[in-house]
Amino acid sequence: MRTDGGSRGDGSRDGTAVGAHDLRHHGDAEVRDDGSALVDLAVNVRADTPPVWLRERIAGSLGGLAAYPDGRAARAAVAARHGLPVERVLLTAGAAEAFVLLARALKVRRPVVVHPQFTEPEAALRDAGHTVDRVLLREADGFRLDPAAVPEDADLVVIGNPTNPTSVLHPAGAIARLARPGRTLVVDEAFMDAVPGEREALAGRTDVPGLVVLRSLTKTWGLAGLRIGYVLAAPEIVAELERAQPLWPVSTPALAAAEACVAPRALAEAAHAAHRGAADRAHLVAGLEEFAPEGVRVVGPAEGPFVLVRVPRGAEVRRQLRALGYAVRRGDTFPGLDAEWVRIAVRDRVTVNGFLQALDQALNVTQG
């Protein structure tokens, strides 16, 4: 693990292309246009979602579109789900909006982003005019966090848990040790509800100074097109972020979805999906590990609904997989990774078995 001071100054106007890393590339780019017919293992949204009952709940909200959105009920429902007062909750148009709000609203001198991780936090900070330092986690350490590697004078630290794309679940205690007086600690828990029991979650904690937890409802419930997420933080931080939001930032259908997705029935369904996903992930990992003699290495233990894999000649293997009908997420847009890395979303066993056969063919072609 090291601090990458060399990331200061990216040489680009929009602050999104730093060195070789396109911070604005996301998995959906793999399945757009000529990739739309591919089997999607690039996007981390749970398959077969949203469920029928949720679609019906969203559809039922459409009769209220003539009125301006009223987020009070949804905000109260999210607060109750985490055992918090409503003053500690802010609803957002997906977790991505929260990164923009943090970058624009908070007055920080030295923001640090722990990589490899979701690139939007750094992109948002750079777009807001901040100079961003990186702490790069190393493959040799299993991409695991050492709190001591974060500069002591960092007044904003961003980390994902479980981390996209590494699928590493950091201990809550290790992350909490990053907290300092005068520091804002942002923990992206967009995939935490895919972890059985949500172990290592910090959502709902009020004893960690400066803690800001971000949650997304788009991954587990298949609502990427609706845009809904939320922030959990101290009331004064919530108030600052809320002042930076436009009026009525979350639509009426998205509010209906938020309220539905934190209800007891939905939480039980999400818990069941997390256990099923863990079993499907184990099947995927076992299949990938059979390619170890060909140099394939899986980062583990994986705890998210995706796995990070090093593949020799990864860029060419990814192209061969596309020719065989499968899309995976390129890894070289994540700081700390290069073109030999790919991220693979967890899918059902039938889909995974087909993918593993395609990977076998792709490896044979590139090695031949």
Side-chain angles (χ1 to χ4, degrees):
M1 183 184 305
R2 66 185 177 86
T3 300
D4 185 359
S7 66
R8 290 181 177 270
D10 58 17
S12 67
R13 285 190 177 184
D14 63 2
T16 60
V18 184
H21 304 291
D22 178 1
L23 301 181
R24 283 280 159 74
H25 180 90
H26 300 298
D28 61 316
E30 314 279 355
V31 289
R32 289 199 304 257
D33 302 327
D34 63 342
S36 60
L38 301 177
V39 178
D40 179 8
L41 285 85
V43 177
N44 292 325
V45 173
R46 182 162 64 98
D48 301 321
T49 52
V52 172
W53 63 265
L54 181 53
R55 293 201 301 269
E56 291 175 346
R57 182 72 175 269
I58 294 169
S61 73
L62 299 182
L65 291 185
Y68 286 96
D70 183 349
R72 289 176 296 176
R75 187 179 184 186
V78 170
R81 181 256 193 271
H82 292 287
L84 295 171
V86 294
E87 294 80 11
R88 284 183 167 266
V89 175
L90 181 68
L91 302 176
T92 58
E97 188 205 6
F99 293 124
V100 174
L101 296 176
L102 287 162
R104 293 179 179 177
L106 300 186
K107 297 175 178 61
V108 296
R109 299 179 311 279
R110 190 180 184 188
V112 171
V113 179
V114 180
H115 285 289
Q117 77 148 356
F118 185 50
T119 53
E120 277 300 318
E122 180 172 328
L125 285 162
R126 290 180 177 276
D127 285 348
H130 296 286
T131 298
V132 182
D133 280 345
R134 297 171 178 168
V135 168
L136 299 179
L137 308 185
R138 301 188 308 153
E139 178 188 5
D141 300 326
F143 296 108
R144 301 200 165 273
L145 172 69
D146 174 8
V150 175
E152 194 65 30
D153 63 344
D155 56 355
L156 174 69
V157 178
V158 185
I159 186 169
N161 203 36
T163 302
N164 171 21
T166 64
S167 208
V168 169
L169 183 66
H170 304 289
I175 294 179
R177 285 200 294 278
L178 293 173
R180 300 282 189 282
R183 172 185 288 178
T184 301
L185 172 60
V186 179
V187 185
D188 177 7
E189 291 189 352
F191 294 100
M192 188 60 78
D193 58 356
V195 177
E198 295 195 4
R199 66 188 190 282
E200 311 304 342
L202 288 170
R205 294 273 297 269
T206 60
D207 60 324
V208 181
L211 176 66
V212 177
V213 175
L214 309 184
R215 286 286 182 112
S216 170
L217 296 173
T218 63
K219 319 300 185 190
T220 288
W221 298 110
L223 298 174
L226 195 61
R227 311 309 305 141
I228 180 63
Y230 55 89
V231 177
L232 305 175
E236 58 271 20
I237 294 178
V238 167
E240 280 191 77
L241 301 182
E242 192 168 17
R243 281 193 292 271
Q245 273 187 317
L247 293 173
W248 310 291
V250 181
S251 70
T252 295
L255 292 171
E259 192 172 355
C261 289
V262 296
R265 168 187 175 173
L267 296 179
E269 184 174 323
H272 177 73
H275 285 283
R276 186 175 68 247
D280 289 340
R281 183 181 61 239
H283 178 70
L284 171 61
V285 169
L288 291 168
E289 288 177 341
E290 293 187 6
F291 295 105
E294 285 77 34
V296 173
R297 297 200 298 277
V298 183
V299 173
E303 298 284 358
F306 47 85
V307 295
L308 181 64
V309 185
R310 181 185 278 280
V311 182
R313 296 166 299 280
E316 179 58 27
V317 169
R318 191 169 59 83
R319 285 192 288 270
Q320 290 294 329
L321 285 170
R322 292 182 72 85
L324 293 166
Y326 291 86
V328 296
R329 171 66 158 90
R330 60 188 284 196
D332 60 341
T333 64
F334 293 102
L337 303 181
D338 58 29
E340 290 205 333
W341 291 97
V342 296
R343 190 193 69 196
I344 304 169
V346 173
R347 298 291 187 249
D348 63 90
R349 293 191 176 210
V350 172
T351 301
V352 166
N353 289 342
F355 165 73
L356 292 171
Q357 291 176 0
L359 178 60
D360 189 26
Q361 295 180 57
L363 289 169
N364 286 334
V365 169
T366 58
Q367 289 177 347

